[in-house]
Amino acid sequence: MNETEQENCLYIYSILNTATEQNLGTIGIDDNPVYTIVYKDIAAAVHFLEKKPEPAKDEQQAKEWVFTHNYAIDKMTEKFGTLLPFSFGCVALGNDETIKSWLQKNYEPFKSELEKLSGTAEYLVQIFYDPKILAEKVLKDSPELQELNTKIQGMSKGKGYILQKQFDVRRDQAITKELSKLGAEFGRAIHENVKETVPEEKKSNVPEKFKGKKSVITLSCLVSNENVENLGQVLEQINEHEGFAVRFTGPWSPYSFIDLKKDFEHT
């Protein structure tokens, strides 16, 4: 949609599978009433704005707005099932007819995405390991490391310094090899039960519950509803590995598996 001289705007939450124009209640940001604008059998969920919104006055207000945006998406998911969620802060200049025209232009890709994602949800899978426990395991499994460690124990601190450095390097290499092997094993088991995955590119924070552990894998997973239980069982088996812990959260709207700004004509 091209920018117009109109000051009125519409805040966009999602694209829905519905042919019915309806009010969804005051679930929007700042208690704005959200409603649907329909084209054929899809609709945009929006709320009206008299002008482009001002930036949040502080971090707390920004957090509240993001929370409310996500809450609205969750409520729509409960009501309509599969939807295409917009990230926080997507505002279109214009009116209902502007949105309807936009839906018409993008009907085929929107409909295709809705069909592709039907019966799925996004889940977050995080796998952590305890460095101390893994170090003990590789030492136990390596006669070479055990022999080197025994030699070091029988030496003075000064004489054992060089050997200690060698031990540390070889132990770290063994840990890296073990993590690579287990990571591939875990990854294969996970991929057998999901439709798509998106790896976390940036280093994710370790939740307080897993303090002292390090991350092995962080994946956003697109999972068919019928495969969620199987995936849960696979993750439970991984969780039983000594020194490892799994965090499995969801279901969420499939933010990681669509890119409305890239794929579609947009505001």
Side-chain angles (χ1 to χ4, degrees), residues 139 142-152:
L139 177 59
S142 172
E144 180 186 359
L145 284 174
Q146 291 174 25
E147 181 181 351
L148 191 55
N149 190 47
T150 300
K151 285 182 180 180
I152 294 169

Side-chain angles (χ1 to χ4, degrees), residues 227-237 248:
N227 274 347
V228 174
E229 185 175 349
N230 290 341
L231 178 59
Q233 291 173 356
V234 166
L235 296 176
E236 184 58 37
Q237 292 171 4
F248 183 35

Side-chain angles (χ1 to χ4, degrees), residues 60-262:
Q60 180 59 34
Q61 185 178 60
K63 288 181 178 179
E64 289 174 0
W65 285 352
V66 171
F67 177 84
T68 305
H69 174 95
N70 292 333
Y71 170 79
I73 296 292
D74 289 344
K75 297 302 287 184
M76 293 174 208
T77 301
E78 290 176 9
K79 184 176 180 65
F80 298 99
T82 302
L83 53 74
L84 306 183
F86 279 80
S87 298
F88 169 76
C90 188
V91 175
L93 298 174
N95 54 27
D96 289 14
E97 289 304 313
T98 311
I99 295 293
K100 189 168 290 189
S101 175
W102 173 64
L103 290 174
Q104 180 180 3
K105 289 177 182 178
N106 292 284
Y107 176 79
E108 292 299 331
F110 281 149
K111 190 65 179 176
S112 176
E113 286 291 290
L114 284 166
E115 290 174 353
K116 183 189 82 170
L117 296 171
S118 178
T120 68
E122 180 171 332
Y123 293 82
L124 181 66
V125 173
Q126 294 173 283
I127 302 176
F128 305 95
Y129 75 97
D130 187 314
K132 183 179 179 181
I133 292 177
L134 194 58
E136 291 172 353
K137 181 181 184 303
V138 299
L139 177 59
K140 181 181 178 182
D141 293 344
S142 172
E144 180 186 359
L145 284 174
Q146 291 174 25
E147 181 181 351
L148 191 55
N149 190 47
T150 300
K151 285 182 180 180
I152 294 169
Q153 302 307 317
M155 294 180 177
S156 66
K157 188 175 181 179
K159 289 183 178 180
Y161 178 78
I162 299 299
L163 282 182
Q164 183 65 53
K165 289 295 182 182
Q166 292 178 8
F167 174 85
D168 291 344
V169 169
R170 293 179 187 179
R171 180 201 58 202
D172 291 347
Q173 289 173 340
I175 290 173
T176 299
K177 184 177 180 180
E178 181 71 6
L179 282 174
S180 178
K181 183 189 79 171
L182 289 173
E185 178 185 320
F186 297 161
R188 284 192 298 271
I190 291 169
H191 279 84
E192 288 175 359
N193 292 282
V194 304
K195 297 188 73 172
E196 293 181 46
T197 61
V198 175
E200 180 69 52
E201 294 181 357
K202 61 182 180 180
K203 188 175 181 180
S204 56
N205 294 326
V206 177
E208 185 65 28
K209 179 181 178 181
F210 304 97
K211 189 175 181 180
K213 293 182 172 60
K214 293 185 178 180
S215 176
V216 184
I217 294 175
T218 299
L219 291 174
S220 293
C221 301
L222 185 66
V223 187
S224 298
N225 295 339
E226 60 267 24
N227 274 347
V228 174
E229 185 175 349
N230 290 341
L231 178 59
Q233 291 173 356
V234 166
L235 296 176
E236 184 58 37
Q237 292 171 4
I238 294 173
N239 195 60
E240 290 173 358
H241 276 70
E242 185 180 10
F244 285 82
V246 175
R247 183 175 183 237
F248 183 35
T249 59
W252 317 112
S253 294
Y255 284 101
S256 300
F257 299 93
I258 58 173
D259 188 346
L260 298 177
K261 290 185 178 181
K262 181 187 75 171

